[in-house]
Amino acid sequence: MERGTFLYEVWVARWSLLSGFGITVSSAVLTIIIASLLGMIFGIALTYGWRPLRWLIRLYVDMLRGIPVLVLILFAYYGLSLFKINVPPFWAGVIALGAFSTAHIAETIRGGIQSLPHGQTEAAKSIGLQFHQTLAYVIIPLATRRVLPPWMNTCAEIVKNTTLLSIIGVVEFLLSNQQAIARNYMVLQFYLFATGVYLLINFTISQFGAMLERRFAHLRY
Amino acid sequence: MNYNFNWSVIWRNWDAFLNALLLGLGMAILSLLIGCVLGLLLAYARTSTSKWLQWSSWAYVEVIRNTPLLLLVFMCYFVLPEFGIRFLDKVESFILTLSLYAGAYMAEVFRAGLSSIPKQYVEAAKSIGMRPWQRQRWVVLPVMFRITLPALSNNLISLFKDTSLAAAIAVPELTFTARQVNANTFRVMESWLTASLLYLVTCYAIALALRAVERRYASIR
């Protein structure tokens, strides 16, 4: 390990880089879980919900899709304390990312449900399934299979959006690289390194998505 | 929450907000135009017969689409000067970043557009004796433009929202301005609500304007 080489510098900054990687992955995973659950509920409510509720959710979704995610993150960071919610920047960021991605996933799921052929629900009715059974055994499985590709895209988007947490001072992977750069001025090496790692994360996600698509191929029609 | 709104702060900084909005819009539109040219070249490369062109176009699109935009912004802003590419200012460096980013997305859009042009159109153009470049100019490109128009407008809206990332390199656009006003006056709600509303209204206006353009051009007769 020669002093002053890139590998040596990575070794020096290893703990900071690893913790940054951990923060990136954990914020992404948390956001994906929150956004997927809420997005599913919102998406179903958008299609089958009580009308005023539908309007409310529609308003929420349209508003959040028209605002940049960075604005939401900064708003949460500066504004949550006004609501007597005192959280560290990490959580402010995750809340903002979650709210933003929820809107996107809700819209995806609504599209997925509405693109299902009518015959599927008709058939479920004709064999005497209740509405909640139809939802659980027909609509959700089929729609899930249908929205897998855009949902995976959203997951990759979420991983990319976690870099914005660095702007509110959360030391995620990008910021940990920048801190390393501040020490040794190896601009190109460290940015390329960061790019490579993000590519790897997103490549893993898309491989995982492809695997899910193969596994649930029987749900295509 | 008992928060006393005081909007006078916003009226005092109204010019700054408006200029910031126009700067963001300008950056988005310029990036879209440059990105269109780049995307078109990439799409042609992707559909060409040369394996090398195909592969490099694919690699470019995959790398750009799986890298966080913030990382690309820092790459252009901090790494390019190392190689003697010195920009006149931050805005130009950001426009370059956004153009490269838009190019990758437009490449996908145009590739889909190119492959969805009916074979008969090209055949007909051949049969009346058009040269290859004439076919592109009078048949393929106009038809593709009509097919891809909705995707183009979505991209413009996304790009406009992405200009918020220029705040990270202190380009005085909407997000940065809101942050400045917030820092100077501590009026958290007013600054961020104003920024959010301006983004919302602008996105909505872009959507409406482009919907009108689509109605005018979208049908292929």
Side-chain angles (χ1 to χ4, degrees), chain A residues 62-72 74-75 77-79 82-84 100 104 153 156-157 159-161 163-164 166-168 174 178 185 187-188 191-192 194-196 198-199 202-203, chain B residues 1-3 62-72 74-75 78-79 82-83 101 105 157 160-162 164-168 175 179 182-183 188-189 192-193 195-197 199-201 203:
Chain A
D62 283 351
M63 268 185 63
L64 267 86
R65 284 171 73 226
I67 300 172
V69 65
L70 180 58
V71 173
L72 289 174
L74 288 165
F75 202 169
Y77 175 64
Y78 290 114
L82 296 174
F83 295 91
K84 300 285 177 287
F100 179 79
H104 283 257
N153 275 341
E157 283 293 319
V159 171
K160 285 160 52 176
N161 284 340
T163 51
L164 301 181
S166 65
I167 292 177
I168 56 171
L174 177 60
Q178 285 181 297
Y185 296 108
V187 185
L188 179 66
Y191 277 134
L192 282 180
T195 306
Y198 279 110
L199 283 179
N202 280 336
F203 181 73
Chain B
M1 175 180 129
N2 44 16
Y3 183 86
E62 285 303 306
V63 167
I64 295 279
R65 285 183 59 191
N66 286 314
T67 308
L69 181 55
L70 190 60
L71 192 48
L72 293 173
F74 289 147
M75 281 266 220
F78 293 119
V79 178
E82 299 275 311
F83 291 92
Y101 188 72
Y105 283 83
I157 291 171
F160 174 61
K161 290 195 298 182
D162 287 338
S164 64
L165 291 196
T175 309
R179 204 176 177 178
N182 179 18
V188 178
M189 290 303 266
W192 293 110
L193 281 177
S196 304
L197 269 174
Y199 273 115
L200 263 176
V201 167
C203 284

Side-chain angles (χ1 to χ4, degrees), chain A residues 31-45 57 60 95 98-99 101-103 105-106 109:
Chain A
T31 307
I32 287 170
I33 292 170
I34 294 171
S36 300
L37 289 176
L38 279 178
M40 190 128 166
I41 295 167
F42 281 20
I44 291 167
I57 296 178
Y60 168 83
I95 289 170
S101 310
T102 296
I105 292 182
I109 287 180

